[in-house]
């Protein structure tokens, strides 16, 4: 497997060498010389799956056949168009999600990476992640993805119980998952993440903890715990609605989460975000961009992005959504160079709400310096320092507000949603009462 171009082949070789030399020691990686407005992460959506899982409401399709050459061409075109439109000069990370991107050809992954490297600067040590399902990712195929430039895998394991996997509509068994995980660790040592779900119908704490303990014997240095969310329109939602399955017990799910966090901490994992745990510095730099409200471009059907287009005067970031249906998206890309269906300019308050809600998901929280990048006048102290309800959260040990900034405690991370019910209205109130800026346009 080789990249379809000399420059891209050189990039892939340099990327593999950089991966051998250097493990990411923190979420920020090495400092970038480009200003924040010229840096971004890139998300690539592959919309196709072999089968729709019973809990999933993502934008995915189960086609009779995939016109991969056309899809590849359109992904390349849209990546080039949006990179130019955004003025992004440096791509910090690339994430191939879906859908099931491990069903795509490694040549498609290589072609997208080549286009990015030719249009912007893609450093050799950039994190390039591919989501993979066990049944669509045998060892030989994983090796080809590695040759194409992928250097991190995220494996949708979800459960080590075959009955639960059938309930979720997964196409793999626990044995399949562990076999794929072992092969992935051999090919991408230190750079394999796995997902484990909790809070399933009829799931009990003890057996679930047993799965987690078993997974610790096999996993690499990154693990994500996700609570099942019953989404309207899914098979699982309908089964619970008509009484065919019991509704998940939120108290049991909370206990699984709390005890699971403790097990992972005991095993040397560091919780750096509400659902994500890492050891040996194996944090996801791509996801860190989301939590830090960095720019990211979304390409592919239904992909989401947040970036500031050139010509916007340097003030307005947009939330963008690409056309959902693949065939319509491809037609638009062929006509216009991209398939953006919706553009929503983000106001300053909306952006601050995102900074608050996403930043508090991490153990670092929101530093004063980070907040000032988005709001140089209204400080964290101004917004939260004198509020009685916030003060109560501080006294209960759920929040910390000090010289470093605002962040959740270990206990607070587990109840972040309830904390935001206090913090977001307080931000909105402080914004309405702020002193108008003397700066034009402020």
């Amino acid at each position: 497997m080789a990249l379809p171009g000399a420059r891209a082949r050189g990039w892939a070789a340099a990327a593999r060498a950089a991966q051998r030399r250097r493990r990411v020691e923190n979420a920020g990686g090495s400092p970038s010389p480009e200003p924040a407005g010229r840096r971004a992460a890139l998300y690539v959506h592959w919309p196709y799956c072999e089968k729709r899982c019973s809990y999933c409401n993502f934008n995915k399709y189960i086609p009779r056949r995939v016109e991969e050459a056309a899809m590849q061409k359109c992904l390349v075109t849209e990546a080039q168009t949006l990179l130019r439109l955004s003025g992004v000069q440096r791509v910090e990370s690339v994430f191939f999600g879906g859908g099931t991107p491990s069903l795509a050809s490694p040549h498609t992954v290589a072609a997208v990476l080549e286009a990015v490297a030719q249009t912007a600067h893609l450093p050799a040590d950039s994190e390039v992640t591919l989501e993979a399902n066990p049944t669509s990712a045998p060892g030989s195929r994983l090796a080809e993805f590695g040759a194409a430039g992928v250097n991190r895998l995220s494996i949708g394991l979800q459960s080590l119980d075959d009955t639960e996997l059938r309930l979720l509509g997964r196409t793999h068994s626990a044995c399949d998952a562990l076999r794929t995980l072992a092969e992935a660790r051999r090919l991408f040592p230190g750079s394999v993440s796995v997902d484990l779900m909790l809070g399933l119908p009829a799931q009990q704490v003890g057996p679930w903890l047993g799965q987690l303990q078993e997974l610790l014997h096999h996993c690499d240095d990154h693990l994500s715990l996700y609570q099942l969310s019953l989404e309207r329109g899914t098979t699982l939602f309908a089964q619970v609605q008509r009484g065919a399955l019991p509704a998940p017990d939120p108290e049991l799910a909370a206990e699984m989460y709390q005890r699971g966090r403790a097990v992972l901490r005991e095993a040397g994992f560091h919780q750096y975000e509400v659902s994500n745990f890492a050891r040996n510095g194996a944090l996801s730099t791509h996801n860190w961009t989301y939590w830090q409200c960095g720019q990211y471009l979304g390409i592919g059907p239904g992909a989401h992005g947040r970036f500031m287009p050139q010509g916007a005067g340097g003030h307005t970031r947009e939330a963008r959504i690409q056309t959902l249906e693949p065939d319509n998206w491809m037609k638009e890309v062929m006509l216009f160079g991209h398939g953006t269906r919706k553009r929503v300019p983000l106001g300053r308050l909306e952006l601050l709400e995102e900074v608050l809600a996403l930043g508090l998901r991490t153990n670092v929280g929101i530093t004063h310096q980070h907040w000032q990048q988005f709001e140089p006048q209204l400080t964290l102290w101004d917004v939260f320092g004198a509020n009685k309800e916030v003060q109560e959260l501080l006294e209960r040990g759920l929040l910390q507000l000090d010289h470093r900034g605002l962040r959740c405690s270990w206990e607070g991370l587990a109840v972040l949603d309830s904390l935001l019910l206090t913090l977001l209205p307080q931000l909105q109130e402080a914004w309405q009462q702020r002193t108008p800026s003397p700066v034009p346009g402020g």
Side-chain angles (χ1 to χ4, degrees):
M1 172 69 197
L3 283 161
R7 178 175 177 176
R9 281 198 299 271
W11 180 86
R16 290 193 295 273
Q19 187 71 6
R20 289 192 295 269
R21 288 195 309 270
R22 173 182 169 272
R23 288 293 308 279
V24 177
E25 295 300 331
N26 55 61
S30 56
S32 170
E34 286 81 10
R38 294 291 176 260
R39 305 194 308 267
L42 181 72
Y43 173 78
V44 184
H45 190 75
W46 179 263
Y48 303 118
C49 283
E50 292 176 309
K51 176 185 177 185
R52 182 174 290 276
C53 298
S54 64
Y55 60 93
C56 182
N57 72 338
F58 289 173
N59 185 46
K60 56 174 61 177
Y61 301 84
I62 296 85
R64 292 180 180 176
R65 61 188 296 266
V66 175
E67 297 288 345
E68 182 152 2
M71 174 61 69
Q72 178 188 123
K73 182 178 180 181
C74 288
L75 288 172
V76 164
T77 297
E78 187 165 70
Q80 293 169 329
T81 300
L82 294 187
L83 282 168
R84 294 183 182 120
L85 181 63
S86 64
V88 165
Q89 297 172 0
R90 177 186 173 105
V91 174
E92 311 251 74
S93 62
V94 182
F95 192 104
F96 291 87
T100 308
S102 51
L103 290 173
S105 163
H107 286 284
T108 293
V109 170
V112 172
L113 292 175
E114 177 185 20
V116 173
Q118 290 178 345
T119 312
H121 177 46
L122 183 63
D125 60 354
S126 294
E127 181 185 273
V128 179
T129 304
L130 179 87
E131 287 183 340
N133 281 350
T135 51
S136 63
S140 59
R141 192 170 181 82
L142 292 179
E144 290 180 343
F145 282 122
V150 171
N151 54 34
R152 183 182 178 97
L153 291 178
S154 178
I155 298 178
L157 183 143
Q158 313 308 0
S159 175
L160 287 179
D161 181 289
D162 285 343
T163 300
E164 291 179 356
L165 289 169
R166 286 191 292 272
L167 173 70
L168 294 171
R170 304 295 287 176
T171 58
H172 67 270
S173 67
C175 184
D176 294 332
L178 293 179
R179 183 168 55 248
T180 299
L181 177 55
E183 191 65 13
R185 291 188 65 189
R186 183 182 69 82
L187 293 167
F188 301 87
S191 298
V192 179
S193 177
V194 291
D195 300 342
L196 186 66
M197 295 183 72
L198 59 90
L200 276 57
Q203 194 175 48
Q204 297 298 312
V205 176
W208 181 81
L209 285 172
Q211 288 187 49
L212 181 57
Q213 294 281 12
E214 173 68 13
L215 186 54
L216 287 173
H217 293 299
H218 302 277
C219 71
D220 203 354
D221 290 336
H222 193 282
L223 197 149
S224 301
L225 300 181
Y226 293 120
Q227 183 175 346
L228 172 70
S229 175
L230 285 178
E231 302 291 347
R232 187 176 297 276
T234 63
T235 302
L236 208 55
F237 179 90
Q239 289 174 314
V240 171
Q241 283 290 99
R242 66 172 182 262
L245 287 172
D249 186 328
E251 292 187 6
L252 283 181
E255 184 180 352
M256 290 177 201
Y257 177 71
Q258 289 285 38
R259 293 180 65 178
R261 298 167 79 206
V263 167
L264 289 171
R265 181 162 64 174
E266 185 69 22
F269 281 83
H270 175 64
Q271 184 176 16
Y272 70 99
E273 192 267 346
V274 168
S275 299
N276 288 276
F277 303 78
R279 60 187 175 191
N280 301 322
L283 292 73
S284 168
T285 60
H286 182 87
N287 287 340
W288 192 261
T289 296
Y290 298 153
W291 301 319
Q292 292 293 291
C293 265
Q295 291 198 124
Y296 58 96
L297 313 181
I299 70 168
H304 289 233
R306 292 280 197 282
F307 66 88
M308 190 181 299
Q310 281 190 327
H315 295 294
T316 307
R317 182 182 293 201
E318 292 182 351
R320 288 178 165 240
I321 303 176
Q322 307 311 99
T323 292
L324 293 172
E325 203 279 322
D327 288 344
N328 290 336
W329 170 82
M330 284 192 279
K331 290 174 185 176
E332 292 175 20
V333 173
M334 287 187 282
L335 281 172
F336 310 116
H338 64 91
T340 303
R341 175 55 56 95
K342 189 175 182 181
R343 298 170 55 186
V344 180
L346 295 175
R348 288 172 60 194
L349 176 58
E350 290 175 290
L351 190 53
L352 287 179
E353 289 170 341
E354 290 192 356
V355 171
L356 179 68
L358 293 172
L360 286 180
R361 292 185 65 88
T362 71
N363 64 316
V364 173
I366 307 155
T367 67
H368 293 293
Q369 294 82 358
H370 181 64
W371 179 265
Q372 287 168 3
Q373 291 176 18
F374 297 91
E375 175 48 51
Q377 295 178 320
L378 198 64
T379 69
L380 288 171
W381 290 110
D382 294 335
V383 177
F384 303 111
N387 181 264
K388 290 183 179 179
E389 291 180 87
V390 175
Q391 193 62 39
E392 181 181 336
L393 297 176
L394 296 170
E395 292 170 359
R396 289 169 57 192
L398 298 175
L399 276 178
Q400 295 173 304
L401 176 61
D402 54 24
H403 66 283
R404 289 164 53 190
L406 180 69
R407 61 196 175 280
C408 293
S409 64
W410 165 266
E411 295 77 15
L413 271 181
V415 292
L416 173 59
D417 286 350
S418 65
L419 303 185
L420 289 173
L421 294 177
T422 296
L423 297 173
L424 284 169
Q426 177 55 29
L427 170 59
Q428 293 156 3
E429 182 178 341
W431 182 260
Q432 295 299 326
Q433 296 177 353
R434 75 195 189 285
T435 302
S437 167
V439 179

